[in-house]
Amino acid sequence: MHAPEWDYAHTDFAAPTDRPAPAGLAASESDWRSYLETQTPNGWLLRDNAMLQALTSGRPIYLMHTTRALDMIRTTGQLCASAGCLVGALYCAPLTVEAAGFRPHNLGAYLLETKPDAQPLVFEITPQTPIPLKGLDYLRLGGIHLRTYLTYRGVLTPIEDAELRSAAVEQVHASAGCLNVLLANAHGVATPSEEFIDQLAVTVPNLPFLGYLYFEVLSEYLLLYSMTPETKALAQAGEMNTRLTKALAFAAVASMGRLFDLALFGPDHHRLVDLVGQVEPGLAAGAAAYVRERLSHLFAALALAPHQDAGEVTFRGAGFDALARVAPHLLGHLIFQQMRRLPRYPQHFHVFEQAKALEVYAYWVANGIPAPFNARLPKGEIGVNPAHPGRVAVWAADVCERGLLHPVEQLNVAFVPRLTDLHLTALGRARFARTPR
């Protein structure tokens, strides 16, 4: 089951510990955790929020999922998940029980507003015991991506395999200058913020993984430092203000409405200040310095093997085998993203993605996790483990004028531990649309 790797990819909010990390970092994971929790206005929400409270209550929890395939669900009697930040969980948002109906988390309210043609479903999960607060951090999946590729690479043609490897190495070579700057900053060097952000922006197109990291760090900054009236009101309800991150993403990348692709997120310094100023003007001045410090630390911690020293590693001239030894987590993310560019990716999708999903299903069942959540930040992204053996009830729901959900039809469906066809997902529709023969 590869439990140690999956342990590394999960964050335990009830008993956080420092995970294996490279030497030579200026700060540890616990240093950053302490700073974020105690020195930011909303840091207390990292450990004390409504979603985590619901998971540990021992009572039934309620989640909202939106779908455009209700007729198919009724016909097949099955609910399948899709790959994404939760690997293989059915993507949901929390619901709170109120006298007048189910109130969606602000993430769920946003989904209802932006997906008016989607049908909301209500899930009731009855846990056998309080649910562990172990969430999945998708940025820590690099080693698992690499191992899965090495295990199943035999289904690729020699040309496809060589293309994957050479493309990943070329990405590193083209980005080596910036990557070495990231390590230097993580080691304690302070590159000027404007210079750092501009170099990062130039590098993102060559190394799209940095776009994901950039967005997640900037989202963290906004969510933890925001002081708007809306943010304060949501914090009193135990919720992070996810609308800040949505506003950031859609303002930064014009095509986000077609496919939410963080590989395209790479604003330069001027654009960064402008974007943050649009979302919350008072946070614009400090954004670049925060990104420099936090992103540099996370990159080193997430990219390198634990036995490496961040102060001694260089990416210049590194070949595939050297990268697999020195920076296996980074290499895994690069292979994972390059694989999506292969023409035959729709045929290979289930080989590689289902393998990871089955592993994480087994891990969640073994750890008593029916509802895994995105632990990069506990901001309401939660899912259903389709392999969970406990009781889950499903209803189709209506939404009233107050934005509350009301179950109207209980569905006779079962969760199936299998990923849905790629062509039925947003990624498949955007990049691999079928054309008539």
Side-chain angles (χ1 to χ4, degrees), residues 166-366:
S166 64
V169 171
E170 288 170 7
Q171 282 182 286
V172 173
H173 289 173
S175 310
C178 179
L179 300 185
N180 288 340
V181 167
L182 292 175
L183 294 185
N185 278 268
H187 187 59
V189 175
T191 305
S193 297
E194 182 171 349
E195 175 187 330
F196 177 91
I197 297 297
D198 285 343
Q199 187 172 15
L200 175 65
V202 170
T203 307
V204 166
N206 292 327
L207 203 82
F209 172 65
L210 291 180
Y212 287 78
L213 196 55
Y214 191 176
F215 175 79
E216 294 291 355
V217 166
L218 196 52
S219 295
E220 180 182 82
Y221 174 71
L222 291 174
L223 291 173
L224 295 183
Y225 279 93
S226 174
M227 294 295 289
T228 67
E230 181 182 32
T231 296
K232 292 179 179 179
L234 289 171
Q236 291 306 306
E239 299 179 9
M240 290 184 170
N241 185 3
T242 61
R243 291 176 181 270
L244 298 173
T245 67
K246 299 299 183 183
L248 174 70
F250 282 88
V253 182
S255 62
M256 282 295 189
R258 175 173 170 267
L259 177 65
F260 199 83
D261 186 1
L262 297 178
L264 303 176
F265 187 86
D268 61 16
H269 182 267
H270 176 78
R271 180 67 172 143
L272 168 65
V273 173
D274 180 60
L275 286 170
V276 176
Q278 292 178 40
V279 176
E280 187 164 343
L283 299 182
Y290 184 90
V291 170
R292 179 195 64 201
E293 295 177 23
R294 183 66 167 143
L295 191 150
S296 297
H297 169 81
L298 282 177
F299 173 79
L302 299 175
L304 302 182
H307 61 273
Q308 297 298 319
D309 189 318
E312 298 178 356
V313 171
T314 178
F315 286 99
R316 295 194 185 280
F320 188 93
D321 292 338
L323 289 172
R325 182 177 63 256
V326 173
H329 303 290
L330 173 63
L331 182 59
H333 281 292
L334 301 185
I335 288 289
F336 171 65
Q337 292 180 340
Q338 285 292 339
M339 192 174 292
R340 290 182 170 191
R341 301 181 180 183
L342 293 176
R344 289 206 304 152
Y345 179 66
Q347 289 76 48
H348 293 141
F349 170 77
H350 274 91
V351 175
F352 294 98
E353 302 312 318
Q354 186 70 62
K356 287 177 277 192
L358 291 174
E359 284 186 12
V360 82
Y361 295 158
Y363 179 87
W364 289 335
V365 170

